[in-house]
């Protein structure tokens, strides 16, 4: 998937992108539910000139159903009809709300999905229980975000500012340390120089800070995760999202499953 209104490909001007990152599931490899043995880190890549468009649309959707009430779009609360989403017990309201969400998420040329799902059971068999799957997922997400912007900006003029939902002081510090290591070492596919040239920053925001891009990342992460767990099951939300997953050479490069299902 690519942005609809592409800039001139030989432009030497910097093109700024925002990468909003949220998670689905937890990174615990010691105890986890056998019915949900997965961790997904989901990134939503948005060009800087589109950020205000997303912000406006998210706020418009919330005003339609909650008026001036402060509400945070949180996938789990929506599914459970709790923490402000009790209005969804009304089936007509629920239908209209899901239609509005699908219209928001189904837009083309507005955002691109780059995500990584860690399958815990095969991961543990190969690597044990003590690795930082959040950090490893971040490396895969940043790689794919860089692949994507380099396709759009082949001269390397694309720059990424990543925004991650806060989890806590210790967790955020550990993730920042991992990010700094990525800048210094790179990955197998992205050299340290390329990583440094493409990444502007990594910042943390609380969910309650009402960042529209983090709302979108949260809404996208769960249906993607359900698809990875049960790819043959009916998943209408995933069908809405799939055209926005980063595709390269006919492959859904933006949906990294690790370890690979072929391994």
């Amino acid at each position: 998937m690519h942005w609809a209104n592409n800039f001139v490909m030989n432009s030497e001007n910097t093109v700024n992108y925002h990468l909003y990152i949220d998670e689905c599931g937890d990174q615990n490899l010691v105890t986890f539910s056998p019915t949900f043995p997965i961790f997904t880190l989901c990134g939503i890549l948005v060009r800087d000139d589109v950020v205000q468009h997303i912000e406006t649309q998210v706020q418009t959707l919330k005003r339609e159903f909650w008026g001036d009430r402060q509400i945070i779009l949180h996938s789990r609360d929506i599914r459970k009809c709790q923490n402000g989403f009790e209005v969804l017990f009304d089936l007509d309201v629920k239908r209209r709300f899901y239609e509005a969400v699908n219209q928001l998420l189904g837009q083309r040329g507005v955002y691109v999905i780059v995500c990584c799902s860690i399958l815990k059971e095969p991961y543990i068999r190969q690597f044990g229980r003590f690795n930082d799957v959040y950090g490893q997922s971040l490396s895969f997400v940043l790689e794919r975000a860089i692949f994507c912007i380099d396709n759009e900006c082949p001269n390397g003029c694309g720059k990424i500012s990543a925004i991650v939902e806060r989890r806590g002081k210790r967790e955020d510090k550990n993730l920042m340390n991992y990010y700094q290591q990525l800048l210094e070492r790179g990955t197998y596919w992205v050299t340290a120089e390329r990583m440094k040239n493409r990444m502007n920053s990594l910042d943390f925001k609380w969910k309650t800070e009402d960042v529209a891009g983090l709302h979108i990342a949260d809404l996208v992460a769960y249906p993607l995760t359900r698809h990875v767990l049960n790819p043959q099951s009916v998943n209408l939300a995933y069908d809405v999202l799939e055209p926005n997953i980063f595709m390269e050479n006919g492959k859904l490069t933006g949906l990294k499953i690790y370890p690979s299902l072929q391994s």
Side-chain angles (χ1 to χ4, degrees):
M1 185 272 174
H2 299 283
W3 283 270
N5 300 314
N6 283 337
F7 39 85
V8 179
M9 298 299 284
N10 62 0
S11 170
E12 295 183 358
N13 296 327
T14 297
V15 181
N16 293 312
Y17 297 82
H18 301 262
L19 179 64
Y20 301 98
I21 300 175
D22 203 356
E23 65 194 84
C24 180
D26 64 72
Q27 59 268 35
N28 192 332
L29 297 177
V30 178
T31 57
F32 54 87
S33 170
T35 64
F36 205 75
I38 191 169
F39 171 75
T40 297
L41 197 65
C42 181
I44 301 300
L45 193 60
V46 181
R47 222 170 54 210
D48 186 65
D49 60 344
V50 183
V51 169
Q52 186 57 53
H53 170 77
I54 287 183
E55 181 70 35
T56 299
Q57 292 208 320
V58 168
Q59 296 304 326
T60 298
L61 183 149
K62 292 196 292 184
R63 280 196 302 271
E64 179 181 351
F65 292 93
W66 287 275
D68 294 331
R69 180 179 176 185
Q70 185 76 7
I71 200 80
I72 301 298
L73 297 179
H74 187 208
S75 179
R76 187 177 188 279
D77 289 339
I78 293 170
R79 297 193 306 274
K80 300 289 186 180
C81 298
Q82 64 185 21
N83 295 330
F85 292 92
E86 292 83 359
V87 296
L88 300 182
F89 281 121
D90 183 319
L91 295 183
D92 181 62
V93 173
K94 187 172 188 176
R95 175 188 58 79
R96 291 190 293 109
F97 174 73
Y98 274 94
E99 287 175 354
V101 169
N102 286 341
Q103 185 175 3
L104 172 67
L105 299 183
Q107 298 176 93
R108 307 293 178 252
V110 173
Y111 69 94
V112 177
I113 298 168
V114 285
C115 68
C116 172
S117 288
I118 300 287
L119 301 174
K120 292 184 178 181
E121 290 169 348
Y123 185 91
I124 291 167
R125 285 196 294 270
Q126 291 192 38
F127 307 109
R129 298 180 184 271
F130 301 104
N131 287 2
D132 178 6
V133 295
Y134 198 111
Q136 187 156 30
S137 299
L138 179 68
S139 68
F140 288 132
V141 168
L142 294 187
E143 275 184 343
R144 277 142 186 79
I146 290 171
F147 297 160
C148 183
I149 69 165
D150 280 356
N151 280 356
E152 298 294 321
C153 311
N155 60 0
C157 64
K159 306 292 183 183
I160 299 172
S161 298
I163 303 96
V164 182
E165 183 180 327
R166 283 192 181 277
R167 296 178 294 154
K169 286 185 177 181
R170 180 174 60 85
E171 293 85 355
D172 294 348
K173 180 180 179 181
N174 289 342
L175 188 62
M176 179 58 76
N177 289 340
Y178 192 90
Y179 171 72
Q180 294 296 335
Q181 291 176 26
L182 285 174
L183 294 181
E184 293 300 320
R185 302 176 186 177
T187 70
Y188 183 83
W189 298 107
V190 177
T191 65
E193 180 182 10
R194 186 179 174 193
M195 184 76 71
K196 288 177 182 177
N197 286 340
R198 303 301 185 273
M199 295 304 304
N200 264 339
S201 61
L202 176 71
D203 294 319
F204 299 89
K205 299 287 185 181
W206 291 111
K207 188 179 292 292
T208 53
E209 291 183 70
D210 202 11
V211 178
L214 290 179
H215 289 328
I216 301 294
D218 182 285
L219 294 174
V220 166
Y222 182 75
L224 289 178
T225 303
R226 295 302 327 180
H227 172 76
V228 173
L229 280 177
N230 303 292
Q232 304 306 319
S233 298
V234 174
N235 188 332
L236 299 180
Y238 174 80
D239 294 340
V240 170
L241 299 173
E242 186 181 49
N244 282 331
I245 300 174
F246 171 48
M247 181 170 285
E248 188 177 41
N249 300 322
K251 297 181 179 180
L252 288 177
T253 306
L255 180 56
K256 171 71 174 180
I257 301 173
Y258 192 75
S260 169
L261 293 175
Q262 281 102 22
S263 62

